[in-house]
Amino acid sequence: DQQVKQNSPSLSVQEGRISILNCDYTNSMFDYFLWYKKYPAEGPTFLISISSIKDKNEDGRFTVFLNKSAKHLSLHIVPSQPGDSAVYFCAATTTGTASKLTFGTGTRLQVTL
Amino acid sequence: DTAVSQTPKYLVTQMGNDKSIKCEQNLGHDTMYWYKQDSKKFLKIMFSYNNKELIINETVPNRFSPKSPDKAHLNLHINSLELGDSAVYFCASSHNRAANTGELFFGEGSRLTVL
């Protein structure tokens, strides 16, 4: 049962343009969402998060949008840079419980020159 | 200075063997985790320890036994290895067991191949 889904396995975007990565979830108990970035041969690193009480969180070039009614979140990167090329994982959890993140399968972003 | 370090990074072994993966964090965190990333790229939690106490055990076969000698270390021992155990195992740590932020710090991963 895949509770967090990233339906696009890969995405290619030109440098300077906007990258939009999407994520859907099915568990209505999830109330905190995170994006992780992973380079080859490295562990995932935390990028940005959002609580279900918000619908947008921004950190520099990265913005996460949450649509609770649609159970959908997206990560916007603008402008995209070659160093952003990585696999991006969406994750969700329920706060107040032991840390248990449910991850999507990731989207590989390639930012081309 | 690596915050969460795992050894070994690569491990190739035969079915039926027993192997261990070690993890250490120097971040002063109270909580540590083992996640498994299988061939389909799913990252799934296996175990979590808070101050040496087991707090999450996600229906993992009992061939897998985590051990936390202190809060900076969480080792994973696997008995009677099977082909399906081939995966990348990630250790992680965090400040807080309550998952208020869910921000985990991951190690680089240990790729286990069972032949």
Side-chain angles (χ1 to χ4, degrees):
Chain A
D1 177 26
Q2 204 178 331
Q3 298 184 63
V4 178
K5 298 178 186 179
Q6 294 177 255
N7 292 319
S8 297
S10 64
L11 175 68
S12 183
V13 171
Q14 257 188 331
E15 183 182 9
R17 302 278 187 125
I18 185 170
S19 296
I20 300 177
L21 294 93
N22 293 305
C23 177
D24 297 294
Y25 62 96
T26 57
N27 188 340
S28 56
M29 298 298 292
F30 290 147
D31 60 2
Y32 202 86
F33 305 89
L34 307 93
W35 286 93
Y36 280 78
K37 176 178 177 178
K38 184 182 180 303
Y39 292 116
E42 294 185 11
T45 54
F46 171 74
L47 189 58
I48 193 169
S49 61
I50 187 166
S51 163
S52 61
I53 62 174
K54 295 185 176 181
D55 53 21
K56 176 183 173 181
N57 188 24
E58 192 171 349
D59 183 2
R61 297 185 298 113
F62 302 91
T63 304
V64 56
F65 295 92
L66 175 62
N67 182 334
K68 287 188 294 293
S69 60
K71 293 192 176 69
H72 177 84
L73 63 155
S74 61
L75 174 68
H76 292 211
I77 307 172
V78 56
S80 301
Q81 298 174 355
D84 297 329
S85 297
V87 177
Y88 289 80
F89 290 96
C90 172
T93 188
T94 305
T95 53
T97 63
S99 296
K100 182 178 164 182
L101 296 184
T102 300
F103 283 86
T105 50
T107 296
R108 181 178 300 279
L109 173 66
Q110 180 77 36
V111 178
T112 57
L113 297 173
Chain B
D1 200 19
T2 308
V4 181
S5 59
Q6 304 177 222
T7 54
K9 291 191 171 30
Y10 299 95
L11 188 53
V12 180
T13 189
Q14 299 286 332
M15 267 176 33
N17 284 350
D18 304 338
K19 289 295 176 187
S20 293
I21 306 172
K22 296 185 176 181
C23 179
E24 176 181 4
Q25 55 96 2
N26 61 8
L27 297 167
H29 290 163
D30 291 325
T31 309
M32 295 185 71
Y33 312 80
W34 278 108
Y35 276 80
K36 177 182 179 182
Q37 186 178 32
D38 60 22
S39 57
K40 294 181 180 177
K41 305 302 181 188
F42 283 110
L43 251 176
K44 289 185 181 174
I45 189 164
M46 301 173 67
F47 301 103
S48 176
Y49 270 75
N50 178 261
N51 269 323
K52 303 193 295 176
E53 176 194 352
L54 180 66
I55 56 172
I56 295 175
N57 183 342
E58 282 291 299
T59 59
V60 177
N62 57 17
R63 298 182 295 104
F64 289 78
S65 52
K67 284 193 171 44
S68 182
D70 56 60
K71 73 175 192 176
H73 294 85
L74 180 61
N75 304 323
L76 182 65
H77 189 76
I78 316 170
N79 288 329
S80 303
L81 279 157
E82 299 177 358
L83 293 177
D85 298 332
S86 295
V88 182
Y89 293 85
F90 287 98
C91 177
S93 69
S94 71
H95 282 293
N96 187 323
R97 67 179 285 179
N100 287 329
T101 67
E103 183 178 345
L104 306 186
F105 292 77
F106 283 87
E108 294 180 336
S110 297
R111 181 178 293 276
L112 171 65
T113 302
V114 182
L115 304 175

